[in-house]
């Protein structure tokens, strides 16, 4: 995925600004539910909607993950609480990322009945979601402190998200340079 110039740095700055507002250090783990509480965004678990959601339950990547829903002057995030806890955290951060980036909401379906999907904004939300969970500073800390094996537990992320953030943050390169000194 190709991001617009400066986007990755912008995403990390947003993640650090959120941490600062939450009173957290740059390398501290963050709880997406706490972000929602602070921003007065209601979190709604899909299985508590009071309707049959069995068609959306499952673990494959095509299953429903989360959606942001306007509720008057407030927002709510409906998320699939049947997913693994780490994926739920990522899904919630993805929805928060749309909001932080100012992405406009869109109807879920097109006129022809196909799912509405904008690859660019979804990619940006995925990237910022990763930064929210592991900003560059935390990724460098993980690699530099030899915490890779514990990082999934500490930061509440999947192995795929951890690997993605360690690669995209430049943490390995930074560590190699430090070791070469």
């Amino acid at each position: 995925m190709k991001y617009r110039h400066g986007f990755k740095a912008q995403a990390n700055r947003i993640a650090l600004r959120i941490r600062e507002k939450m009173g957290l250090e740059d390398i501290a783990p963050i709880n997406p539910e706490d972000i929602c509480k602070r921003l007065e965004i209601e979190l709604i678990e899909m299985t508590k909607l009071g309707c049959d959601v069995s068609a959306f339950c499952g673990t494959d990547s095509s299953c429903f993950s989360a959606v942001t829903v306007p509720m008057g002057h407030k927002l709510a995030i409906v998320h699939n609480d049947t997913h693994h806890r780490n994926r739920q955290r990522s899904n919630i951060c993805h929805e928060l990322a749309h909001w932080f980036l100012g992405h406009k909401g869109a109807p879920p379906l097109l006129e022809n009945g196909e799912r509405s999907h904008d690859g660019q904004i979804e990619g940006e939300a995925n990237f910022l979601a990763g930064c929210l969970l592991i900003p560059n500073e935390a990724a460098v800390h993980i690699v530099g402190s030899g915490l890779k094996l514990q990082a999934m537990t500490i930061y509440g992320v999947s192995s795929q998200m951890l690997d993605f953030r360690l690669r995209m943050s430049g943490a390995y390169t930074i560590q190699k340079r430090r070791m070469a000194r």
Side-chain angles (χ1 to χ4, degrees):
M1 159 128 230
K2 184 168 180 148
Y3 301 100
R4 61 186 153 80
H5 180 72
F7 172 74
K8 292 177 184 176
Q10 176 195 11
N12 201 63
R13 284 192 302 273
I14 291 170
L16 294 178
R17 197 169 45 243
I18 297 301
R19 279 185 157 61
E20 181 181 358
K21 289 182 178 182
M22 302 287 293
L24 298 172
E25 294 181 22
D26 295 349
I27 62 169
I30 197 164
N31 183 346
E33 294 175 9
D34 290 343
I35 300 172
C36 290
K37 283 180 192 165
R38 181 169 178 95
L39 298 174
E40 298 181 6
I41 296 173
E42 185 175 354
L43 268 180
I44 302 171
E45 296 175 342
M46 178 188 73
T47 59
K48 296 192 176 149
L49 288 175
C51 56
D52 180 13
V53 294
S54 60
F56 302 109
C57 296
T59 57
D60 71 68
S61 61
S62 64
C63 288
F64 169 77
S65 297
V67 66
T68 302
V69 181
M71 292 179 52
H73 298 292
K74 293 186 175 186
L75 292 176
I77 295 174
V78 178
H79 70 100
N80 188 339
D81 56 316
T82 66
H83 285 169
H84 185 278
R85 184 73 192 131
N86 291 346
R87 183 164 172 199
Q88 291 179 50
R89 292 169 47 83
S90 181
N91 294 341
I92 293 166
C93 281
H94 178 97
E95 293 305 312
L96 288 168
H98 280 302
W99 192 69
F100 293 144
L101 292 168
H103 292 160
K104 304 277 186 222
L109 298 175
L110 301 173
E111 289 180 17
N112 62 6
E114 292 184 15
R115 182 175 172 218
S116 173
H117 183 83
D118 183 328
Q120 185 65 37
I121 67 168
E122 294 303 321
E124 288 180 0
N126 281 337
F127 192 89
L128 177 52
C131 289
L132 289 169
L133 292 166
I134 304 178
N136 293 350
E137 290 72 6
V140 170
H141 171 70
I142 291 166
V143 173
S145 301
L147 295 172
K148 188 174 176 192
L149 294 177
Q150 299 94 346
M152 290 186 330
T153 302
I154 294 169
Y155 290 92
V157 296
S158 66
S159 62
Q160 295 88 353
M161 176 62 84
L162 177 61
D163 289 341
F164 175 73
R165 287 302 305 145
L166 295 182
R167 280 185 291 106
M168 296 305 287
S169 65
Y172 291 123
T173 303
I174 291 168
Q175 182 63 15
K176 276 184 189 174
R177 288 181 185 151
R178 286 180 178 169
M179 298 297 285
R181 289 183 196 163

